[in-house]
Amino acid sequence: MALRGLAASGPGSRGPLDEAVAAAEERGAPAVVVAAGGAPEDDDEDEGRGRGLLRWDGFSAWLHCVCVVGFDLELGQAVEVSIYSFCFLFQKTNICYLSFPDSNSGCLGDTQFCFRFRQSSGRRVSLHCLLDHYDKDLPVYLKKDPAYFYGYVYFRQVRDKSLKRGYFQKSLVLISKLPYIHFFHTVLKQIAPEYFEKSEPYLEAACNDVDRWPAPVPGKTLHLPIMGVVMKVRIPTCHDKPGTTQIAQLTQQVVCFCPVFLHSQMLWELVLLGEPLVVMAPSPSESSETVLALVNCISPLKYFSDFRPYFTIHDSEFKEYTTRTQAPPSVILGVTNPFFAKTLQHWPHIIRIGDLKPAGEIPKQVKVKKLKNLKTLDSKPGVYTSYKPYLNRDEEIIKQLQKGVQQKRPSEAQSVILRRYFLELTQSFIIPLERYVASLMPLQKSISPWKSPPQLRQFLPEEFMKTLEKTGPQLTSRIKGDWIGLYRHFLKSPNFDGWFKTRRKEMTQKLEALHLEALCEEDLLLWTQKHTEVETVDLVLKLKNKLLQADRERLPVKPDTMEKLRTHIDAIILALPEDLQGILLKTGMT
């Protein structure tokens, strides 16, 4: 790893990193460049350099880059140090502004939060996409989104009379594709405080530790050493029973829901339906925690729309998300700048939260209020909406949580109750959909090895609605209300679209796998004896393509199916004339 001291650069400037990179390339290139300076602008040339320069597989499986953002009196927020994996720092302006709280937040001491930003259009994903096959075994809500990155921030602001500004202000930021919120916050707690004391050499050592980590394989207990401490983590799999694994290691708790638990069921509906939602908070930590809690409240269903745990007026999507010329998009925004109270006052659903109470303290409940009452960020905490929930409020869970308030039950304990409630509510809602979609699958006896796999039946909303009378959510949920209306609204939402596309892909792959298994049970050599050489060659080429597809898409085939198919192919080729054997043995899977 090479360490270079370069001039700092702010969001809009271009530092001398290009020259350093070019010189490194001429020398044969070190594994990682740690540069005290600004990142190059977003362009293909820089991306190409990054790919040729950096080969840290272990580091890149977990992180895209690590950077330090400080405050420069002339430039404002500036990237001071950058450690890159497979491409150089991009979206520098976004990262600089998102790594600092708004000036009105008044965050003294240490603050942790996270942000999420869109990948630049046309930019290739870094080489850790080679590990994307692990995604197949993850629960859907922990899968990487190819279009987005997460930024995990440890911000420190303390008084320092030796500095012109009078304050030490700096953020250590981890950029990753992995949505393992609590895990990366834990990593930052371990390394950030000492980094602020010991500077770049300490950060280099920490990154070397990360490079020695095993790949993030779901289902395995991983031991991850970081600066003298070993973290023990198990990443959940899609086969785990929801609520049984230690997902808290990877995602945020829902402590921040406690002030609004009286309205938690309404908020669950708004998130489920992909409604535009703004969280106005006093600081990035409250903002990001609340947005992430909202997104996770419909787990194990994935929230398929965009969400920004911390969003600023400098964000590249600011105009897109604040325009009044069209309806607000399906997105959850977390904001702290008072300017948003005016800019987003036309949004239909706004949550205004106050300061979160320390652990063990019970926050005061907020009320549902009309949108016209929200004029500034200084307005009283509350849920500002005209939305009328489809379902009746579950008084039993309300009594349970209210009893916790009276008994001064810790917020963490309240969160456990609320999280279990959300899980059971989402499962009650999704089970009828899962049952109906499973009925769209063709019968296995209809799969013929000599025909293309049969197609799934079409999803018919009215046909599904008729199934709810006997097999609806009333079988597993005590909640009454307009379930039919809720389902009708859900079927038009981005969350249904994303969920159904995922299920349709899984079921189509299952049909392909069953078709492969049916082929393997046939006497293919006998078939070739009854057909021409041209037809036999065509069969071999199609079988090779089937093998390629099965490997590329990781089809859910039985362990011995692939080997059986290869054996069939070899036997067919050996039965052909020698000239054809030579050609087919050399022919790759195309």
Side-chain angles (χ1 to χ4, degrees):
M1 187 186 296
L3 179 65
R4 306 196 176 284
L6 304 174
S9 64
S13 62
R14 185 181 180 91
L17 184 59
D18 286 332
E19 289 78 5
V21 171
E25 284 179 322
E26 290 176 5
R27 292 196 311 276
V32 171
V33 175
V34 182
E41 298 297 322
D42 297 336
D43 58 45
D44 293 335
E45 184 181 359
D46 294 325
E47 180 78 4
R49 284 200 199 97
R51 287 198 302 274
L53 194 67
L54 311 165
R55 298 182 181 87
W56 261 20
D57 289 350
F59 180 89
S60 297
W62 293 88
L63 295 171
H64 193 75
C65 65
V66 177
C67 56
V68 177
V69 178
F71 191 88
D72 185 279
L73 282 174
E74 295 181 0
L75 301 171
Q77 282 99 298
V79 176
E80 296 180 349
V81 177
S82 305
I83 300 179
Y84 311 95
S85 58
F86 285 109
C87 72
F88 288 100
L89 196 60
F90 52 95
Q91 293 227 4
K92 183 175 58 177
T93 302
N94 259 3
I95 291 173
C96 281
Y97 284 118
L98 288 167
S99 298
F100 266 45
D102 282 315
S103 57
N104 67 290
S105 296
C107 298
L108 277 175
D110 292 353
T111 303
Q112 285 191 258
F113 58 94
C114 87
F115 58 84
R116 186 174 183 260
F117 61 97
R118 194 179 295 169
Q119 181 170 314
S120 301
S121 58
R123 180 171 294 280
R124 291 184 59 182
V125 179
S126 59
L127 292 184
H128 67 226
C129 66
L130 296 174
L131 298 169
D132 281 355
H133 62 273
Y134 294 134
D135 259 21
K136 195 171 184 68
D137 297 322
L138 284 169
V140 67
Y141 57 92
L142 286 180
K143 292 180 186 292
K144 295 190 290 290
D145 189 324
Y148 291 91
F149 284 91
Y150 285 82
Y152 303 100
V153 182
Y154 193 106
F155 171 72
R156 173 169 288 184
Q157 179 171 256
V158 293
R159 297 183 188 278
D160 188 336
K161 293 181 180 179
S162 66
L163 299 175
K164 286 184 179 179
R165 188 176 172 83
Y167 286 92
F168 172 91
Q169 295 173 306
K170 196 164 288 189
S171 287
L172 178 58
V173 187
L174 309 180
I175 304 294
S176 176
K177 282 280 187 180
L178 303 177
Y180 302 164
I181 316 297
H182 187 63
F183 168 75
F184 281 115
H185 280 330
T186 303
V187 172
L188 280 169
K189 280 182 184 177
Q190 182 62 33
I191 63 174
E194 290 208 50
Y195 163 71
F196 291 134
E197 302 296 330
K198 299 177 181 177
S199 202
E200 281 77 14
Y202 181 87
L203 195 55
E204 282 189 68
C207 290
N208 273 299
D209 277 351
V210 174
D211 189 46
R212 289 192 286 269
W213 287 0
V217 182
K220 287 189 176 181
T221 299
L222 307 176
H223 294 86
L224 311 176
I226 185 78
M227 302 310 290
V229 173
V230 178
M231 295 186 296
K232 186 178 177 182
V233 173
R234 181 187 181 275
I235 300 172
T237 75
C238 56
H239 308 294
D240 294 344
K241 186 178 178 181
T244 59
T245 54
Q246 297 180 25
I247 298 177
Q249 291 182 329
L250 302 167
T251 57
Q252 291 292 90
Q253 290 192 342
V254 288
V255 175
C256 44
F257 256 112
C258 291
V260 293
F261 72 67
L262 289 175
H263 322 298
S264 55
Q265 193 172 300
M266 179 181 69
L267 295 177
W268 175 84
E269 285 191 24
L270 291 174
V271 175
L272 180 75
L273 300 175
E275 286 288 308
L277 193 57
V278 183
V279 174
M280 295 184 174
S283 75
S285 57
E286 282 98 337
S287 163
S288 60
E289 285 180 23
T290 305
V291 170
L292 292 167
L294 287 167
V295 168
N296 287 330
C297 80
I298 61 170
S299 174
L301 187 67
K302 181 179 179 179
Y303 181 77
F304 281 93
S305 294
D306 190 9
F307 61 94
R308 303 301 176 90
Y310 177 48
F311 190 75
T312 76
I313 60 174
H314 304 286
D315 197 286
S316 54
E317 275 84 53
F318 174 75
K319 288 184 179 179
E320 175 186 343
Y321 284 164
T322 58
T323 179
R324 289 172 178 263
T325 58
Q326 57 189 33
S330 175
V331 61
I332 302 177
L333 296 182
V335 302
T336 62
N337 194 316
F339 180 73
F340 281 108
K342 181 179 180 180
T343 309
L344 299 177
Q345 64 182 351
H346 63 292
W347 277 47
H349 321 291
I350 297 172
I351 303 174
R352 168 73 176 96
I353 61 173
D355 293 309
L356 294 183
K357 301 294 183 182
E361 290 190 30
I362 306 301
K364 185 179 179 182
Q365 287 297 296
V366 300
K367 297 179 179 180
V368 174
K369 305 178 182 182
K370 294 181 179 179
L371 278 168
K372 65 180 182 180
N373 294 332
L374 180 66
K375 297 178 181 178
T376 69
L377 198 63
D378 296 326
S379 298
K380 291 181 179 180
V383 179
Y384 294 80
T385 181
S386 299
Y387 178 79
K388 183 180 179 181
Y390 286 96
L391 304 181
N392 301 336
R393 195 162 75 172
D394 187 341
E395 296 298 338
E396 189 171 321
I397 187 67
I398 297 301
K399 288 178 182 178
Q400 193 175 356
L401 292 169
Q402 285 178 329
K403 185 178 179 181
V405 172
Q406 293 165 0
Q407 296 177 345
K408 297 186 177 180
R409 185 186 295 151
S411 292
E412 289 77 6
Q414 294 281 77
S415 289
V416 171
I417 296 170
L418 202 49
R419 190 163 53 242
R420 188 187 305 121
Y421 168 73
F422 282 141
L423 175 62
E424 292 173 355
L425 185 57
T426 303
Q427 286 178 324
S428 292
F429 180 81
I430 209 71
I431 285 172
L433 280 162
E434 290 281 6
R435 187 182 291 114
Y436 173 72
V437 167
S439 73
L440 304 180
M441 187 83 163
L443 296 175
Q444 189 165 347
K445 65 181 182 181
S446 67
I447 299 174
S448 168
W450 307 114
K451 296 179 182 179
S452 296
Q455 299 293 308
L456 294 173
R457 286 199 307 114
Q458 187 179 356
F459 187 106
L460 300 174
E462 290 308 316
E463 185 180 65
F464 165 67
M465 293 299 172
K466 290 178 182 178
T467 68
L468 296 176
E469 185 178 345
K470 293 183 178 180
T471 59
Q474 71 275 8
L475 297 181
T476 54
S477 176
R478 61 178 175 263
I479 300 174
K480 307 296 182 181
D482 184 10
W483 285 98
I484 298 292
L486 184 61
Y487 278 112
R488 288 192 187 281
H489 195 155
F490 177 72
L491 294 183
K492 300 174 184 176
S493 74
N495 285 331
F496 170 75
D497 186 57
W499 173 82
F500 183 62
K501 283 179 179 176
T502 301
R503 293 293 290 116
R504 184 170 55 194
K505 180 180 178 182
E506 291 170 351
M507 293 167 71
T508 301
Q509 288 182 335
K510 179 63 177 176
L511 285 171
E512 290 286 352
L514 290 172
H515 186 247
L516 265 182
E517 290 168 9
L519 272 171
C520 288
E521 297 304 316
E522 289 293 308
D523 189 340
L524 299 181
L525 195 57
L526 178 63
W527 182 91
T528 62
Q529 293 170 6
K530 300 177 182 179
H531 292 77
T532 65
E533 284 185 1
V534 172
E535 289 173 317
T536 300
V537 170
D538 184 55
L539 174 65
V540 170
L541 294 176
K542 286 181 177 177
L543 291 176
K544 286 193 170 189
N545 277 328
K546 283 277 188 184
L547 276 176
L548 179 63
Q549 178 192 11
D551 187 57
R552 182 177 61 244
E553 298 182 12
R554 297 189 72 212
L555 296 182
V557 294
K558 294 177 182 177
D560 60 341
T561 298
M562 301 285 276
E563 194 55 44
K564 279 184 180 179
L565 200 55
R566 291 188 184 95
T567 302
H568 278 311
I569 292 171
D570 291 342
I572 294 170
I573 291 176
L574 290 175
L576 290 168
E578 287 190 8
D579 57 337
L580 283 176
Q581 286 184 31
I583 294 171
L584 289 174
L585 287 171
K586 292 177 183 177
T587 302
M589 291 177 285
T590 57

